[in-house]
Structures are given as structure tokens and as C-alpha cells.
Amino acid sequence: MTTVCLLLLFAGTPRSPASDSDEQRRFLSAAVLDFQASDPENRDAGSQIAAILSALLSAEEGLLVVEREDLDTLLSEQELGLSGMVSANEAAQVGRLTGAKVLITGRAFASGDDFIAVARIMGTETSRIFGEMVTVAGDDRVAASAMKLAEKIAATLRERGDQLVPPPRTPDARIARLRELVDGKRLPSVSIRIPEEHLSRVILDPAAETEIGKILGELGFELLDPNDSGARPDVLIRGEAFSELGLRRGNLVSCRARVEIKVSERGTGRVLLMDRQTEVDVDLSESVAAKNALANSAAVLTDRLVPALVNAYN
């Protein structure tokens, strides 16, 4: 089974709780996949390197490790058995499924008496790649190479993390960019219903539904109440969303959220879009982190939702 761990990397030095409340600390999420390995003495070297890397990186200051079971399930559902030299398209797909902004994988092989391990650190949204390589000799070379790689990878993420991910999109910038797509176009009326759940608790004020409605409303879409039996929207946006607690580190807590939507014409039943997005957020409050992760997932979905609606009616 593919070894995958999701890491949350907090950039910068630790700050006091007071400063955390002033500005949200930015973080990276990274997925660690099995290495492609050709070691005649150890056929499992690739998965062992990935497992050791995950364990070592999780002990680094500023790193949180999320349970791998959900991530393995997501990849297996899509029949993605990824390792070694992952393409930019595959990296982007993993990022969309898991919320990972960075993908870590690579190759390991024997060369004479030496064992060489090469890591590829790829931005899933930018396709920017950094490489790290270590060479070891002697016994226990798999563990030794993983330990050396972990140090180099952690340093690369700290020093070059901002180059691996695109600048964060502000709400105003997203609206301005999407408005260019809708100006002068026919826009259908829409009805949105996306119930949410967090830790087996139904959320009364769905953040994902609110975020999508807010963005569409600002762009000029007519929003109709899904609870109004007399409403006749052109398009139905239906889905579900959930958030779950990640890990706690000091005063900070991480939550992971996934939003899934199905967009269809009410009159014909024609499906215009089926999509999903996973995001992670960190805050001092679990409830706020969960809400933010849900809202962020929904906001990213609108980047693909709006073009689908415009293309369907123009």
C-alpha cells in the first residue's frame, strides 16, 4: 500500500498566543509517498524510506502529522498507486484529493558500495520542484539515507516553502478574477444546499454553503432559498461537507475539511459539474479551524464552479 502522510508545516518561529490571534500562521501541507527503489538487498526499501521520513519529519519543530488511513483511502478510491517519478498532473491530482500543497517522493538505488537516495519536493499547484540527494555506505543504509534526507527536506520546506506554493488568494482577488469570467454573460439562478458535520455534530450554519453563496452573490448570480418549495432555480448545487480534528501542538489546533458538490440543471437533470476539495486550517480554536477549512475548500471549488456555470449557459 502506498505510504502517505500529510504534514502541516508552520513557517517561521513560534509565537505567543496573542500574536497568533492577530495573524493566522501560514502553513504547508505535504504528502510523502513511497520512493521508487532498486535495492537487491531490500525490496521494501522504497516504502521503508517513506515511513522513516514521515516519522522523522513529524518530530521536527513546526510539523504536525495527520493519520494516513484517510489519505490511503482517498488514493485507493482513485486507483492511484503513486511512487517514484510522479508527473505534474499526478501531483496536482494528489493535491486536490488530499489538500497537500507539497508532494515528497523520489528514488533510491545502489551504486557500487554506496546507496544513493534522491528526493523530489514538488509543489502540487505550482509544479515547482526542488531536489535533495544523499549518499551513504555501510550497514543500515536505508535508515541512514532516510535520516539524512529528512534533515535536508525539512530545511528545504522551511527555507523555500513560499516558492513551492502560490501566493494565498485573498477574497477580493478571487472575486475580481472570477468577475472577468462572468461580465456580460448570462448567469443562471442557483439554489445551494450543502449540509455539514464536524465530529458527528451537525453544523447549523454551514460554512461551505455560506462561502459559495457569498461568492456567487457578489458575482451577480441570483440566489434562491433551497427551503422555498415555490422557488424554481435554473441550477441546483447540492453536496455534503465534513471537517475533523487533526492534531494539537501547543495552543494551536488543526482541522481538515472536505467539501463535495454536484451541480445539475433543475429542469433537465443534466450534471454540469461533480467536484470535491480538501483543505486544512489551523487556529487557536477547533471550531474556527474547522469553519475556516470548510470555507477554504468551498472557495477553491468556486474557481472551477463558476467557469462550469458560465460555459453551460453561454
Side-chain angles (χ1 to χ4, degrees), residues 23-38:
E23 181 181 355
Q24 176 65 45
R25 185 178 300 188
R26 192 178 177 195
F27 60 91
L28 296 176
S29 55
V32 182
L33 274 64
D34 285 357
F35 276 45
Q36 187 180 59
S38 56

